[in-house]
Amino acid sequence: MFENWGTRASVVLLGAALLTAGCSSGGREEGAGGAPVTQRPASADPYWVNPDGNAARQVAAYEKAGKKTEAARIRRIAEQPVGEWIGPENPEGEARGYTEAAARSGRTALLVLYDIPHRDCGQYSRGGAADGAAYRAWIGGVARGIGDRAATVVLEPDALLHLVDGCTPEEFHEERYDLLRGAVTTLTSLKNTKVYLDAGNAGWGQPDQIFQPLKSAGVADADGFAVNVSNFYSTADSLAYGKRLAAKVGGKHFVIDTSRNGNGPYTGGAPEERWCNPPGRALGEPPTTKTADPLVDAYLWVKRPGESDGECKGGPKAGAWWPEYALELTSRD
C-alpha cells in the first residue's frame, strides 16, 4: 500500500444522540461522563467541537480514575474540532446530527466523506459503497442531512491518488471520476457547504501527477482541495506543495490537515509503512482559519488524533481509538 488515511474504518454513530444531547449554544457543553468541553473562539476557528467524541470520553475516564495528568494531555485533543467521518449506514441522520449540533453552537461542522467504491484497494481501510448507484444514494443522503446548515466537507481521501498510483484498476477510473464530479455538484449546490477534494501530500509525487486527475474530478466547481490528510508532512512543506498544485488548477484555494504534523514525517523503519502509526509524532497547529497564506482557507484536524492508522506497530484496526497513541501525540509540543 502506498498510503493510508486512517480513520475511516469505523465511525462512531453520534448523529442521533447529538440531536437529543442538549448541546448549549454557549461556550461550554457537557460531554461524555460530564467532562466539560469548550468551544474555541469562532473568530479564529469557526468549526464545531464535538462534546462527545472519543477524546472527550477518554478525558472523562481518566478524570474518573484520578489520572489528572493523562486527562489534561488528552484534553488538548478533546477541545479541538476534528473531522466527523460519515459512516455507511445512516449518512442522512449522521450529517443532520452533526450539522444541527454545530448550528446550535453557532459553528460549522467539519465532515469527511469516505465511501467511494473499491476504497483503499482492499487494504487497511477497505470497503466503501457497493457500486456507483449506492454511492450516489449515499451522497444524496449526506446532502439531505446537511441541508442549509454550515458544513465544510473533505471529499474522498485517497480516491484520486489511487487512480494515479495504479492501485485502483483501470476499469474503475472513469466511474470514479464521474462519482466525484457528481458529489461535488450535489454538495456545492447546498447553500452553506464548502467542498475540498483530496489532493495528496507533500511526500507523494509531484503536482504534475495529480493536477489533471483533480481537474477531471471537478475541482473547478469545488471550493478547492485538501492536502496532507491523515499524514505527517510539515505545514511549511504542505503549503509549498499546495501552492504548486494551486497554480496548475486555476489558483484554487486549499486546506491543510495539521492534526499530527508537529514533528514532521517519520523517517525510520520500512519506507512502505512510515505512514502507519509512526512513533515520535506530535500534534500540529490547532485548527484555524487564520493561516500563513491567503490561498490556505484553513488548517484542519481532518484525521482524528489518537485514532489508529491500521493494524501496524501494535495498533488496532484503522479508525479505532488508541489512547496510548493519543498520549504519545500529546507528550510533545
Side-chain angles (χ1 to χ4, degrees):
M1 176 177 182
F2 193 83
E3 277 293 355
N4 180 282
W5 304 89
T7 62
R8 30 251 209 260
S10 63
V11 178
V12 179
L13 301 180
L14 295 174
L18 288 168
L19 288 174
T20 57
C23 297
S24 72
S25 59
R28 296 177 71 83
E29 300 173 350
E30 287 299 314
V37 172
T38 304
Q39 296 291 341
R40 290 168 53 80
S43 59
D45 179 10
Y47 300 102
W48 175 67
V49 175
N50 186 343
D52 197 36
N54 284 332
R57 290 174 177 266
Q58 188 68 66
V59 169
Y62 280 144
E63 288 178 343
K64 185 177 181 180
K67 297 181 177 181
K68 294 183 179 180
T69 299
E70 291 87 347
R73 282 165 56 183
I74 299 302
R75 189 178 298 279
R76 294 177 59 193
I77 297 172
E79 293 194 340
Q80 299 293 346
V82 298
E84 302 295 348
W85 296 63
I86 301 297
E89 301 300 329
N90 185 21
E92 183 173 349
E94 286 188 49
R96 180 176 292 111
Y98 291 131
T99 55
E100 287 192 353
R104 282 195 292 272
S105 292
R107 300 298 196 276
T108 297
L110 174 60
L111 307 179
V112 187
L113 305 190
Y114 186 76
D115 197 44
I116 202 78
H118 318 292
R119 188 179 70 191
D120 203 29
C121 310
Q123 300 180 79
Y124 284 129
S125 295
R126 59 186 174 273
D131 54 30
Y135 184 76
R136 293 183 185 95
W138 185 79
I139 288 290
V142 172
R144 290 191 299 273
I146 295 172
D148 287 343
R149 291 174 291 278
T152 292
V153 172
V154 175
L155 184 61
E156 295 299 339
D158 265 356
L160 290 178
L161 290 188
H162 282 329
L163 296 182
V164 178
D165 68 12
C167 181
T168 301
E170 180 72 30
E171 63 190 282
F172 302 127
H173 285 203
E174 189 50 49
E175 178 192 57
R176 179 163 295 184
Y177 285 127
D178 182 67
L179 294 177
L180 291 172
R181 287 192 301 267
V184 168
T185 298
T186 296
L187 295 165
T188 56
S189 71
L190 302 176
K191 183 178 179 181
N192 294 303
T193 296
K194 292 185 176 181
V195 181
Y196 296 88
L197 273 163
D198 180 66
N201 59 72
W204 187 94
Q206 298 295 325
D208 283 345
Q209 297 172 281
I210 195 68
F211 83 91
Q212 193 58 57
L214 200 56
K215 287 183 176 181
S216 297
V219 72
D221 297 320
D223 292 271
F225 56 91
V227 302
N228 202 49
V229 172
S230 291
N231 222 298
F232 301 87
Y233 291 93
S234 72
T235 302
D237 288 346
S238 297
L239 174 59
Y241 172 80
K243 290 181 73 171
R244 292 197 304 271
L245 182 52
K248 295 178 178 294
V249 292
K252 300 296 288 190
H253 286 210
F254 58 100
V255 296
I256 300 173
D257 185 354
T258 61
S259 58
R260 305 182 298 175
N261 72 349
N263 282 346
Y266 182 55
T267 58
E272 65 272 15
E273 284 213 342
R274 285 174 178 166
W275 55 267
C276 191
N277 299 323
R281 301 310 92 198
L283 301 176
E285 290 96 333
T288 183
T289 53
K290 297 184 181 299
T291 69
D293 192 279
L295 278 177
V296 183
D297 288 343
Y299 302 145
L300 303 175
W301 284 12
V302 183
K303 167 72 177 184
R304 288 133 66 117
E307 294 186 357
S308 177
D309 291 318
E311 296 169 286
C312 61
K313 301 182 182 69
K317 66 180 181 179
W321 174 250
W322 189 7
E324 294 81 8
Y325 197 75
L327 285 169
E328 185 175 350
L329 288 171
T330 59
S331 68
R332 302 168 181 83
D333 292 319

